[in-house]
Amino acid sequence: MLNYIEPILGFNTVRHYAIIAMSTISSLAIIWLPLIPITIFLISHKYYQYTNPRPKGCRKLGLPHHKTNLHDEYDPKYSQGVPEKHTDSEDKPSWRIKALFAYPIKSCAGIELDTADVVPTGFTYDRQFCFAEYITPKTNTNESQQAHWTARTLRDGSLCRMALIRPEIWVPDHTAEDYSPELQEVQSQGVLVIHYPRVTAGILSLPVKLGIMLGLLSKEVSFHVPFSPAQDSDQKSTYPLTPVKIWKDTPLAHDYGCHLPFSLHRFLDPDRTRGPLTLFRTNSSHHREIFRNAPRKEDLGFQPVTGFADAYPIHLLNIASVQDIAGKCKTDIPELSLRRFRANIIVQGPGAYEEDHWKRVRICGPETGIGSGSRGVEVYTACRTIRCKLPNVDPDTGVRHPVEPDRALKRWRRIDRGDLTNAALGMQVVPAAREFRVCVGDGIEVLETGEHCYIKMLKPGEKVEGV
């Protein structure tokens, strides 16, 4: 072809364009050739994703991702209270459970449920795991302090990304075609699958972003852990019992750190400014006992306990109360979701803040109670929930708002004389029965009301203000 082009353009011109073409091809080769094996890896990884099946012998717990009972949570109809002992147009109790949530990993995304089994620590799958950081005392601190694991939450400003960690609970299902009591997934009482956003920063950011754009990579990565360690000696050595500090308690819990992939560490601590991170699982022999504000053991017949929840087994929230606070910070947050407050039971029907004075409540429904019949089951609303700045974090983005709703809460809701420096919203609940079941739609009946006074964890010699 050059024999035809050369007489027209001249030898030097042809050579000039040929050099440019070769240079361009070489440059493209330098850029793209290294991506070929990466692309092959991405394709094979995608194939692995499609061929990596769900946990054997199990089914996924909770509502499908496209369904929620909070689809109309911003509807102003919930802001007005309705009479307690009435039924609505659908012949349902006017005061009833609107939605249920469990949070398998403390401070991570929740799982919405239609039905929840309750045990002494709260919902069966609630706050059974937590992330913790290994703290090494500085050399200039008190020598009596020792290195230790301490639980981490969304309260830690640099860990807001925890809101984007999405756990799934897969529970044994004897109707599954591949079910067998010998399966490891069954013997561990199910599987916790942990999803989190794929890191797209660093030296391989270009091929990763390319893979996501081409659909060769998902936006999330995941790994799984057994929900509970099996009772054999190998499992006990794999998940050693280790002290973890949570507030003033230091329960022994199973260290699941052997399962954490490096990419999760990069996601949670991209700047590598924190100590080592791990995942803990509660141990049934080392639950945290509850005394302040809670009903006594002699009244219940058992000692109130909790797992990795802050202080009490169950958190109850009234949709009307949240809507009232939402109206006070609407300029900064146009839609303040109930999910920011991370409650287990969300109720509809009562007017705003009517729950502030509840002392005992009966939950009534066809599925409620184990052997309790139609009488339902009682729970104690032990105290108001004292709020921190955690609700400032948007559960959908993991971004912390600089002031709201904390500012609105502290302006309008510093109403508990036991802690007048902090706001209160929602109620902390202690079950009056060891085991029962609650469902969306179950009725709420208030049995007793009275005055609440939150009792803080006091230092020796300190007194509660106003008491």
Side-chain angles (χ1 to χ4, degrees):
M1 182 175 290
L2 290 177
N3 293 333
Y4 292 100
I5 298 175
E6 187 176 329
I8 300 172
L9 298 179
F11 175 75
N12 290 332
T13 302
V14 172
R15 184 175 63 178
H16 173 72
Y17 283 109
I19 292 173
I20 292 175
M22 293 178 64
S23 176
T24 303
I25 293 171
S26 299
S27 299
L28 290 173
I30 292 173
I31 294 174
W32 291 103
L33 281 177
L35 297 181
I36 293 176
I38 297 175
T39 303
I40 294 173
F41 165 76
L42 295 180
I43 294 173
S44 63
H45 183 74
K46 187 67 175 178
Y47 174 75
Y48 172 77
Q49 285 185 321
Y50 281 126
T51 57
N52 187 27
R54 60 168 176 73
K56 293 181 179 179
C58 296
R59 61 176 175 83
K60 188 164 71 170
L61 191 72
L63 274 62
H65 71 277
H66 61 276
K67 182 184 177 184
T68 175
N69 292 311
L70 293 181
H71 61 279
D72 60 347
E73 65 170 309
Y74 305 115
D75 193 322
K77 69 182 180 182
Y78 295 114
S79 63
Q80 301 298 319
V82 296
E84 176 185 354
K85 296 182 179 180
H86 286 71
T87 56
D88 61 14
S89 58
E90 299 177 356
D91 201 31
K92 295 180 180 179
S94 58
W95 287 22
R96 62 180 184 268
I97 294 176
K98 168 71 173 172
L100 298 168
F101 285 88
Y103 295 87
I105 308 176
K106 188 177 181 67
S107 274
C108 297
I111 296 174
E112 187 170 357
L113 308 166
D114 271 334
T115 301
D117 289 322
V118 181
V119 294
T121 57
F123 287 8
T124 303
Y125 300 103
D126 187 62
R127 273 92 169 183
Q128 294 300 298
F129 294 83
C130 77
F131 285 106
E133 179 182 1
Y134 194 69
I135 304 298
T136 304
K138 297 179 181 179
T139 55
N140 59 352
T141 59
N142 190 334
E143 292 183 0
S144 63
Q145 294 183 355
Q146 297 181 346
H148 64 279
W149 290 102
T150 187
R152 289 305 186 201
T153 71
L154 290 174
R155 295 179 184 87
D156 300 289
S158 61
L159 288 176
C160 292
R161 290 182 168 200
M162 290 176 66
L164 304 180
I165 296 177
R166 186 173 59 84
E168 292 177 351
I169 294 290
W170 289 77
V171 296
D173 180 7
H174 68 276
T175 65
E177 293 183 358
D178 54 356
Y179 175 86
S180 168
E182 305 301 321
L183 287 171
Q184 184 176 354
E185 292 87 345
V186 174
Q187 293 183 356
S188 64
Q189 301 175 42
V191 175
L192 178 71
V193 181
I194 302 173
H195 302 264
Y196 54 97
R198 190 182 295 277
V199 177
T200 56
I203 191 171
L204 294 179
S205 61
L206 178 60
V208 170
K209 290 178 181 177
L210 177 64
I212 293 174
M213 182 180 68
L214 296 176
L216 300 174
L217 280 178
S218 64
K219 293 182 179 180
E220 292 184 325
V221 290
S222 65
F223 65 101
H224 67 268
V225 301
F227 182 74
S228 297
Q231 296 301 312
D232 57 63
S233 58
D234 290 340
Q235 292 281 288
K236 291 180 181 179
S237 60
T238 303
Y239 311 116
L241 283 174
T242 307
V244 55
K245 183 175 176 59
I246 175 167
W247 298 110
K248 289 190 175 182
D249 297 324
T250 311
L252 293 176
H254 293 286
D255 186 346
Y256 271 43
C258 60
H259 290 291
L260 268 59
F262 177 71
S263 59
L264 179 64
H265 291 275
R266 288 186 62 208
F267 172 72
L268 284 175
D269 186 22
D271 299 325
R272 302 187 182 183
T273 58
R274 313 194 73 94
L277 295 170
T278 194
L279 180 69
F280 278 107
R281 166 70 163 94
T282 60
N283 178 268
S284 58
S285 299
H286 299 277
H287 287 145
R288 298 154 55 217
E289 295 185 340
I290 306 167
F291 296 99
R292 55 194 178 108
N293 299 109
R296 300 302 177 207
K297 179 179 180 179
E298 52 267 26
D299 297 325
L300 291 179
F302 60 93
Q303 175 61 47
V305 293
T306 190
F308 286 141
D310 277 351
Y312 296 88
I314 297 172
H315 179 206
L316 180 146
L317 198 62
N318 177 9
I319 189 171
S321 302
V322 175
Q323 287 198 349
D324 187 72
I325 290 297
K328 301 180 188 305
C329 56
K330 195 173 186 67
T331 301
D332 291 270
I333 305 177
E335 292 186 334
L336 184 72
S337 176
L338 289 148
R339 294 184 296 116
R340 285 177 178 259
F341 298 91
R342 306 179 65 79
N344 300 116
I345 299 176
I346 296 170
V347 300
Q348 67 176 79
Y353 314 123
E354 288 195 40
E355 70 279 10
D356 279 346
H357 302 285
W358 295 353
K359 299 289 283 188
R360 284 189 305 121
V361 172
R362 177 181 289 131
I363 301 175
C364 306
E367 296 294 330
T368 305
I370 296 178
S372 61
S374 60
R375 292 177 55 83
V377 64
E378 292 184 16
V379 298
Y380 289 84
T381 44
C383 63
R384 300 184 180 103
T385 303
I386 301 301
R387 310 295 341 185
C388 63
K389 293 184 180 181
L390 190 149
N392 286 24
V393 179
D394 187 330
D396 295 320
T397 64
V399 175
R400 183 190 300 273
H401 192 280
V403 294
E404 295 292 8
D406 180 66
R407 180 172 61 185
L409 284 164
K410 285 186 174 176
R411 181 178 180 184
W412 300 97
R413 290 292 298 167
R414 289 191 291 180
I415 50 91
D416 193 304
R417 64 191 181 96
D419 187 359
L420 292 172
T421 61
N422 293 298
L425 186 70
M427 303 301 292
Q428 296 292 321
V429 174
V430 175
R434 284 184 177 275
E435 295 183 350
F436 58 96
R437 179 172 295 162
V438 293
C439 302
V440 170
D442 283 355
I444 300 293
E445 179 184 352
V446 178
L447 302 177
E448 180 184 350
T449 60
E451 180 63 26
H452 279 288
C453 179
Y454 183 79
I455 301 176
K456 300 185 293 184
M457 289 185 287
L458 304 178
K459 298 178 182 178
E462 184 182 4
K463 294 183 179 180
V464 177
E465 183 180 351
V467 178

